[in-house]
Amino acid sequence: MKEEAGRKVAIIGGGPAGLMAAEALAQRGIAADVYDAMPSVGRKFLLAGIGGLNLTHSESYPAFVSRYGERAAQIDLLLRGFDAGALRAWAHGLGVETFVGSSGRVFPREMKAAPLLRAWLSRLREAGVRIHVRHRWQGWNEDGSLRFDTADGELAVRADATLLALGGGSWKKLGSDGRWLPWLAERGVATAPLLPSNCGFDAGWSAFFADKFAGEPLKSVGLSFQGGDGRAFQRVGECVITQSGIEGSLIYACSALLRDEILRAGSATCYLDLIPAWDEARVLAEVTHPRGSRSLSSHLQSRLNLKGARAGILRECLDKDRFQNPAALAAAIKRLPLTLTATRPMDEAISTAGGVCFSALDSRQMLSALPGVFCAGEMLDWEAPTGGYLLTACFASGRAAGIGLAEWLAAE
């Protein structure tokens, strides 16, 4: 086994959190070595930018922090050092201009991740950061050195300090496989099981409905949910019918509540408002309007513009008796029960919850059970909806962990 020795800071994971930690260290005169299992760094970051890189969000700070739910207090401490405004300024410093979209989301002017990543990596290398790809971390050797699998065989790296930015458990093909969790747990680090977040759900569609409508969007529909734990959700947005159930931005925004309800009760029933711009009285008036010789389906399309996937899901979720009852039909159009039975597999999820508990970290993001080992990014136990919140917190936590590591080294 080859061995690298000498005074060294090792960062394991070349995503936004790991690279931001490397930058924070470089600014303090510490040139770190970044190790990544993939052939190149930032692969999930690049994937996130395929449809337009949503860097962050422009909403007010209190609203922004609230998006982190039960971990809002912990993420708040990180964002105070590097918030959405700081992230935009940082991107501008790399020559990447940003703009605010109609939804309040912030994007690079070119809508792509690759130019930003190229400029960033160039600056990091100029600052002395060394990047090692195709180095898959395998935990620690008995002597405490870091163990890597490489194309040239096993490599042992002795580091004065280590920063882990290993991602969560989704998108294994891009390097986030969660294999690290038991290695930390075995060493006394408090962890929570990894769970899918920003994910789709199974709904048990009939074969007819699935074959006809899979891939069809439900635009401008309302979603409401009241969990058994008291948490509630209500919003208008867009989602997509899938072969097995439902996914999309509106579902992702509620995914944590729906997932936790399924874990608690075995299923979760949410409610769709198929015409959120109309009140129930207006819907009832249109449903009961004389339809003459027209079929009920034609009547609903003519009077309420209910067609396609919205009309299909109405029939799918209502039995024949309720569909033929005008009052019950009108009520269902405004509040259609949709029972979800399971999350989609974790590897299909955009992100994950669970990981290293914040209680396992000190104020510098160092593991109390493993002095000299720091953690950042999605491997920590937090989650957030899509909309730029995930990336912002990964950048902020990477920066905070890098600063914490530098302070620890100075004290040592």
Side-chain angles (χ1 to χ4, degrees), residues 20 29 35 49 71 83 95 117 129 152 156 158 161 172 218 223 267 273 283 296 344 361 386 412:
M20 186 55 82
Y35 299 87
R71 298 292 180 268
D83 62 9
L117 183 61
V129 175
D152 298 322
R158 294 187 180 277
K172 291 180 182 178
L218 292 170
L223 176 69
S267 66
D273 184 345
V283 172
L296 182 52
R344 293 299 299 157
L361 304 171
T386 56
E412 288 294 299

Side-chain angles (χ1 to χ4, degrees), residues 28-300:
R28 287 155 181 79
I30 302 170
D33 286 80
V34 177
Y35 299 87
D36 197 274
M38 296 291 102
S40 58
V41 296
R43 292 209 158 192
K44 193 173 180 181
F45 181 69
L46 290 173
L47 179 70
I50 287 178
L53 179 65
N54 183 190
L55 264 180
T56 188
H57 204 286
S58 63
E59 68 184 349
S60 68
Y61 187 81
F64 195 105
V65 173
S66 73
R67 304 301 182 188
Y68 298 94
E70 295 180 351
R71 298 292 180 268
Q74 290 89 345
I75 301 300
D76 175 44
L77 294 175
L78 304 177
L79 294 177
R80 289 189 181 279
F82 196 78
D83 62 9
L87 178 52
R88 293 186 70 183
W90 170 83
H92 297 166
L94 287 168
V96 176
E97 294 300 313
T98 61
F99 72 96
V100 179
S102 58
S103 64
R105 299 184 179 201
V106 176
F107 300 90
R109 186 69 62 184
E110 296 183 24
M111 296 292 289
K112 298 177 181 178
L116 187 152
L117 183 61
R118 282 197 299 269
W120 191 13
L121 291 176
S122 177
R123 188 165 76 182
L124 288 173
R125 290 189 175 103
E126 288 177 2
V129 175
R130 296 171 292 270
I131 295 176
H132 312 267
V133 296
R134 294 189 173 89
H135 281 60
R136 184 175 295 278
W137 186 53
Q138 300 293 335
W140 290 272
N141 292 306
E142 290 185 3
D143 63 0
S145 61
L146 299 165
R147 178 186 166 202
F148 293 93
D149 276 346
T150 76
D152 298 322
E154 284 197 5
L155 173 68
V157 174
R158 294 187 180 277
D160 297 282
T162 300
L163 193 148
L164 304 178
L166 295 161
S170 62
W171 295 92
K172 291 180 182 178
K173 65 181 181 180
L174 301 179
S176 298
D177 56 17
R179 292 173 65 240
W180 49 266
L181 195 145
W183 301 341
L184 295 183
E186 289 168 1
R187 288 175 171 258
V189 176
T191 60
L194 293 175
L195 298 170
S197 182
N198 291 296
C199 59
F201 292 83
D202 291 337
W205 304 135
S206 65
F208 172 81
F209 179 80
D211 291 342
K212 186 172 183 178
F213 293 108
E216 292 292 318
L218 292 170
K219 296 185 177 181
S220 297
V221 296
L223 176 69
S224 59
F225 175 71
Q226 177 74 53
D229 58 5
R231 291 184 294 169
F233 177 91
Q234 187 168 358
R235 190 176 301 178
V236 174
E238 183 174 328
C239 49
V240 179
I241 304 298
T242 66
Q243 193 71 31
S244 64
I246 196 164
E247 64 179 24
S249 59
L250 184 59
I251 298 297
Y252 300 155
C254 189
S255 65
L257 278 66
L258 294 170
R259 177 201 65 218
D260 291 350
E261 183 71 4
I262 290 172
L263 290 173
R264 187 190 68 83
S267 66
T269 299
C270 56
Y271 296 88
L272 296 176
D273 184 345
L274 300 179
I275 314 180
W278 292 15
D279 60 26
E280 190 169 337
R282 183 180 178 186
V283 172
L284 179 60
E286 297 295 344
V287 168
T288 56
H289 189 278
R291 59 186 173 94
S293 61
R294 288 183 304 186
S295 67
L296 182 52
S297 294
S298 296
H299 179 68
L300 293 176

Side-chain angles (χ1 to χ4, degrees), residues 225-392:
F225 175 71
Q226 177 74 53
D229 58 5
R231 291 184 294 169
F233 177 91
Q234 187 168 358
R235 190 176 301 178
V236 174
E238 183 174 328
C239 49
V240 179
I241 304 298
T242 66
Q243 193 71 31
S244 64
I246 196 164
E247 64 179 24
S249 59
L250 184 59
I251 298 297
Y252 300 155
C254 189
S255 65
L257 278 66
L258 294 170
R259 177 201 65 218
D260 291 350
E261 183 71 4
I262 290 172
L263 290 173
R264 187 190 68 83
S267 66
T269 299
C270 56
Y271 296 88
L272 296 176
D273 184 345
L274 300 179
I275 314 180
W278 292 15
D279 60 26
E280 190 169 337
R282 183 180 178 186
V283 172
L284 179 60
E286 297 295 344
V287 168
T288 56
H289 189 278
R291 59 186 173 94
S293 61
R294 288 183 304 186
S295 67
L296 182 52
S297 294
S298 296
H299 179 68
L300 293 176
Q301 180 173 341
S302 174
R303 302 298 303 187
L304 293 90
N305 197 32
L306 274 180
K307 57 185 178 181
R310 286 195 299 159
I313 200 170
L314 185 61
R315 280 193 175 274
E316 177 74 6
C317 295
L318 281 189
D319 58 41
K320 184 176 180 181
D321 290 342
R322 291 183 67 195
F323 195 84
Q324 296 295 333
N325 182 307
L329 177 59
I333 290 170
K334 292 296 294 177
R335 187 173 165 81
L336 182 68
L338 173 61
T339 298
L340 306 174
T341 57
T343 61
R344 293 299 299 157
M346 187 160 58
D347 201 42
E348 295 179 15
I350 292 175
S351 58
T352 51
V356 175
C357 298
F358 280 89
S359 62
L361 304 171
D362 69 9
S363 61
R364 295 169 297 196
Q365 288 181 231
M366 185 174 74
L367 293 170
S368 300
L370 296 172
V373 179
F374 298 73
C375 292
E378 198 183 330
M379 68 181 294
L380 301 178
D381 181 20
W382 61 278
E383 60 183 317
T386 56
Y389 309 104
L390 289 164
L391 269 179
T392 304

